[in-house]
Structures are given as structure tokens and as C-alpha cells.
Amino acid sequence: MKITLLGPPGCGKGTQAELLAKKLGVLVISTGVIIRNLMESGGFSKEQEENMNKGGFLPDEQVIKIVEDEISKKEHSRGFVLDGFPRSLFQAESFEDFEILDCAIYYSVSDSEVVKRISGRRQCHCGSTYHVLFNPPKKEGFCDDCNEKLYQREDDGESVVKNRLLAYQEKTQPLIEFYKSKGILLEIDGEQKIEKVFEDTIEALKL
Ligand code: AP5
Ligand code: MG
């Protein structure tokens, strides 16, 4: 199955992507994770890094190339769960020349919940994500999976979150109509407990 997860920053795309990929026996392709890793190894210019840390998006062409290169790998031949891509109409339309998605899942979450979730998020370099209240690690400040120290993302400050929400509304929200018109959109109430959101996802996908 080829699936993309849509929704505002902090709606739970990364969290649900991991659960869903495990259930489907495929891998997650998260542009946010790939881009942050590439940034660490100097794969983007200083200006691009600053733009991202202020809540802006990276150039469409560059991100499309990253995703298409990744999908071409053998390990994704059985399908994948995309997290954070496509994120603009241009990305969605260009991607259709490369791959046709089976389903786009949209997690609806209010702006106030987004702020709560992002301010409490803690991250590990291995990719695992926690929340200090909603999904705490067993040992405070350390990853359950690899015991590394957790950190806060550079773009998780409150003023940056506002910019990320604006970028989402302007550029990504139109994708809801785009996938609806293709008949592949599933909308899930993302403002429930993690387990319930996952349950609804599985049910909507008839898995
Ligand atoms: P990206 O990393 O994708 O960030 P985002 O879309 O802003 O989404 P987040 O990762 O912040 O949230 P999420 O929806 O994954 O939620 P999570 O599961 O972590 O992208 C970052 C940047 O990269 C972009 O701003 C852009 O610059 C660039 N970029 C990426 N893709 C791009 C593209 N295609 N084109 C151009 N630029 C691109 O959950 C959040 C928190 O809430 C966690 O702490 C979690 O534990 C908790 N939580 C999750 N679900 C629930 C729940 N149901 N109840 C309570 N808490 C919950
Ligand atoms: Mg994420």
C-alpha cells in the first residue's frame, strides 16, 4: 500500500506513520526526518537551514528529488507510508508522474492542540518521538528504544510553530481538496488519544 499522511504540524503524522508502517510491514518515508539528517551533514545551504528553522518550507524540486530517490530503493517496493510529503500542490501534481498513491489520510487537529503537542514533544536521534505528558518515555529525558538523551527540535519554539501553521494553511491545506477530488482521502479526528487515532485509521483503511 502507498499511503500519505496529511495534517498540520504536530497533528501526529510521525506517530501514526510508525504505527501504521509496522502494521503494514512497510517503512516510513518522512521528509522532515530525511531533511533534518541531511542538514546535520551539510546537505543544505545556511539560508535554507535558517528558513526551515523559522518555519518555512524547502524548495519543492529539491524535496521531490529526495523522495523519488528514496522510493526507488528496493526496500520500498512493497509500499510505504509517506509522512510530510507532498506538502504543496506542486509537489502532489509532480509526484503523480512518478507514483500513484492508494490513499491520503488527513488528521484534523485544532491550532491550540498543535501548540500543546509541539511544546511538549521530545525527540531522539534514532527517530523515536515522545511527549512529556501524552507519551512520556519510561525514563525521563531518555529514549526507550536506544537510551540516548532526548532533545527538542530547533523549529519547535512557539513563534516558529505559528509560522509553520501559516505555511501549512497556505500551501498544504489545499491538498485535502486535491485528494478528495481523486476519491482517495480519508479524514480522521486526530484530536483523540494516540491509540484511538490509530484504531480509527486501521478501521478506515479496512485493515
Ligand atoms: P516535519 O518534520 O514533517 O514537521 P511537521 O509537518 O511540522 O510535523 P511535525 O513533525 O512537527 O508533527 P507530526 O505531525 O509528525 O506529529 P508527531 O507525531 O511528532 O517537517 C519539518 C520541516 O521540514 C518543515 O517545516 C519544512 O521546513 C521541512 N519539510 C518537510 N517536508 C517538506 C516538504 N515535503 N516540502 C518542503 N519542506 C518540507 O506528534 C507531535 C507531538 O504530539 C509528539 O510529542 C507526540 O508524542 C504527540 N502526539 C502525537 N499524537 C498525539 C495524540 N493523539 N494525542 C496527544 N499527543 C500526541
Ligand atoms: Mg513529524
Side-chain angles (χ1 to χ4, degrees), residues 35 37-45 48-49 62 66:
I35 289 167
N37 288 340
L38 281 171
M39 288 240 166
E40 270 182 31
S41 56
F44 289 97
S45 69
Q48 286 174 328
E49 190 170 345
Q62 230 167 321
I66 289 172

Side-chain angles (χ1 to χ4, degrees), residues 38-139:
L38 281 171
M39 288 240 166
E40 270 182 31
S41 56
F44 289 97
S45 69
K46 199 88 204 116
E47 292 75 45
Q48 286 174 328
E49 190 170 345
E50 278 168 13
N51 179 45
M52 177 169 159
N53 288 339
K54 282 190 208 144
F57 288 177
L58 287 165
D60 282 333
E61 275 89 357
Q62 230 167 321
V63 182
I64 293 166
K65 168 105 179 46
I66 289 172
V67 173
E68 294 182 351
D69 285 352
E70 180 61 36
I71 287 180
S72 305
K73 293 180 183 166
K74 217 170 57 210
E75 65 248 42
H76 301 299
S77 59
R78 296 185 56 240
F80 46 78
V81 178
L82 284 169
D83 159 19
F85 180 91
R87 204 177 278 245
S88 66
L89 269 179
F90 183 83
Q91 290 181 14
E93 281 164 356
S94 308
F95 188 58
E96 290 216 310
D97 297 335
F98 182 81
E99 193 77 83
I100 296 294
L101 293 168
D102 299 306
C103 181
I105 303 176
Y106 163 51
Y107 293 111
S108 57
V109 168
S110 64
D111 290 3
S112 57
E113 179 71 13
V114 160
V115 173
K116 262 191 258 169
R117 287 190 187 176
I118 290 184
S119 58
R121 172 168 44 200
R122 297 294 180 272
Q123 201 78 36
C124 180
H125 283 288
C126 77
S128 297
T129 299
Y130 302 88
H131 191 283
V132 289
L133 298 176
F134 308 139
N135 181 28
K138 292 191 184 89
K139 184 174 152 200

Side-chain angles (χ1 to χ4, degrees), residues 13-15 30 36 83 121 153:
K13 298 183 295 295
T15 304
S30 164
R36 281 186 289 278
D83 159 19
R121 172 168 44 200
R153 257 167 58 176

